[in-house]
Amino acid sequence: MRQMSEMQVVLGVDVGGSTTKIIGYDLDQRLIGTLQVRATDQMTSLYGAIGNFLKTHQLSLRAVKRIILTGVGASFIEETIFDIPTYKVKEFEAIGLGGVHLAGLEEALVVSMGTGTAFVCVKAGEVKHIGGSGVGGGTLLGLAKLTLGQQDSSVVGDMATLGDLGMVDLVIQDITHEKIPSLPEDATASNFGSVKSHVQEQDIAKGLINMIFQTIGMMAVFACQNTSIRQVVLTGSLTTLPQAQAIFDGIGQMHGIHFIIPKQAVFATAIGAVANTLEEEKTLLSYTKVSK
């Protein structure tokens, strides 16, 4: 194990509905590493993530200066973790701060695509949760299980790379020969509105991902209406699917919105919980301290 004199770290832990994500920074604001784990319950995944992270990076418990918790599962934590000073930060605040921090922006709409989807506006130094949707990663996994017998989003993403949207979707040129100035001919008119009799599983996989991303993307577009915001930062596990950037870019080109998937987007919420505590100790005053 590394000695305490060599390194002290701050851990950010996003305790989600299905996975726990952890990141570690040293006190010079350098990212040490990231890790995510799945478990049958949130407490197991929380302690397992911390233990695995410390073992992976050869750190002792003495090296951990504080732990910052966020996410839906943080509400179940009522005691300090391993007797280390433990704090909680509201999930929506962490989502917003993590998104703009990773993207290097001062204002943006941050869209967290987890089991569901949250929309958080960061503007003029304020973080505001403006709404959410039940359409997200959980939707993809549920529909993929029903239609494809798959429950692994990465497998569905790989399948979709071989799919053809023309086998499932109805597009503008299928329903009209007139030019619509605001819409290209291949814009979606109806997701799964034209399923062919010889459709393949790969086509269904591509159609599912396209439908979910288009739904989230258009909600982001609507959220930016009547505001000055034209930058949307995408975070969460769904950002790792290979179709993500292209689909969101297509939506952005139609509506004048720039969709950004930053590096470490999967860990944005955990990063947001920690990033603004590193500069000055007093920033912890805005956090809720967990007592023994």
Side-chain angles (χ1 to χ4, degrees):
M1 292 287 185
R2 294 176 185 175
Q3 297 300 314
M4 182 177 176
S5 59
E6 294 182 25
M7 180 182 296
Q8 285 191 312
V9 301
V10 177
L11 300 181
V13 189
D14 176 12
V15 189
S18 56
T19 63
T20 290
K21 304 176 184 72
I22 182 170
I23 60 97
Y25 281 94
D26 67 18
L27 299 187
D28 292 321
Q29 303 185 43
R30 291 188 295 253
L31 182 66
I32 298 168
T34 61
L35 179 74
Q36 61 178 321
V37 300
R38 291 179 178 271
T40 54
D41 68 89
Q42 292 162 328
M43 291 294 288
T44 300
S45 65
L46 168 61
Y47 281 91
I50 293 174
N52 286 343
F53 185 90
L54 295 179
K55 182 177 180 180
T56 298
H57 297 282
Q58 297 183 311
L59 295 166
S60 70
L61 282 173
R62 295 191 305 274
V64 182
K65 184 176 182 181
R66 58 182 177 267
I67 298 172
I68 315 295
L69 303 176
T70 191
V72 293
S75 62
F76 295 100
I77 311 303
E78 300 298 338
E79 299 181 349
T80 58
I81 308 299
F82 298 126
D83 291 327
I84 297 168
T86 303
Y87 300 81
K88 295 180 185 179
V89 62
K90 294 179 181 179
E91 182 178 15
F92 297 133
E93 180 180 350
I95 288 171
L97 294 175
V100 294
H101 175 80
L102 288 177
L105 299 171
E106 293 186 0
E107 70 172 39
L109 177 70
V110 182
V111 180
S112 177
M113 301 186 295
T115 305
T117 302
F119 297 82
V120 178
C121 180
V122 182
K123 186 175 182 181
E126 295 185 0
V127 180
K128 182 180 180 181
H129 174 231
I130 61 173
S133 170
V135 175
T139 310
L140 176 62
L141 295 183
L143 292 177
K145 180 180 180 180
L146 288 172
T147 58
L148 304 171
Q150 293 287 346
Q151 282 189 283
D152 187 324
S153 59
S154 64
V155 172
V156 178
D158 290 342
M159 292 174 64
T161 61
L162 302 175
D164 180 3
L165 286 178
M167 299 298 292
V168 293
D169 284 357
L170 192 70
V171 298
I172 295 296
Q173 64 184 359
D174 294 329
I175 59 175
T176 181
H177 292 299
E178 294 184 2
K179 297 288 185 180
I180 302 177
S182 61
L183 293 173
E185 293 181 344
D186 60 351
T188 305
S190 177
N191 297 102
F192 287 93
S194 182
V195 178
K196 307 299 190 292
S197 60
H198 51 296
V199 66
Q200 302 295 309
E201 287 188 338
Q202 294 90 339
D203 307 323
I204 295 172
K206 190 164 187 175
L208 290 176
I209 291 172
N210 188 58
M211 178 178 65
I212 290 167
F213 281 161
Q214 286 186 338
T215 299
I216 294 171
M218 285 309 304
M219 290 185 70
V221 169
F222 296 149
C224 291
Q225 296 298 305
N226 300 318
T227 76
S228 62
I229 293 177
R230 290 297 177 266
Q231 307 266 30
V232 176
V233 182
L234 302 168
T235 68
S237 298
L238 284 184
T239 60
T240 63
L241 292 179
Q243 297 78 19
Q245 191 69 69
I247 293 174
F248 284 107
D249 282 348
I251 297 169
Q253 289 168 9
M254 283 191 288
H255 299 282
I257 298 292
H258 183 206
F259 286 92
I260 302 166
I261 300 178
K263 187 177 180 181
Q264 303 291 359
V266 171
F267 298 93
T269 303
I271 289 171
V274 170
N276 71 330
T277 74
L278 294 172
E279 295 183 1
E280 298 181 21
E281 191 77 19
K282 67 181 182 180
T283 59
L284 285 172
L285 295 174
S286 64
Y287 285 52
T288 302
K289 189 171 184 178
V290 179
S291 59
K292 291 185 178 180

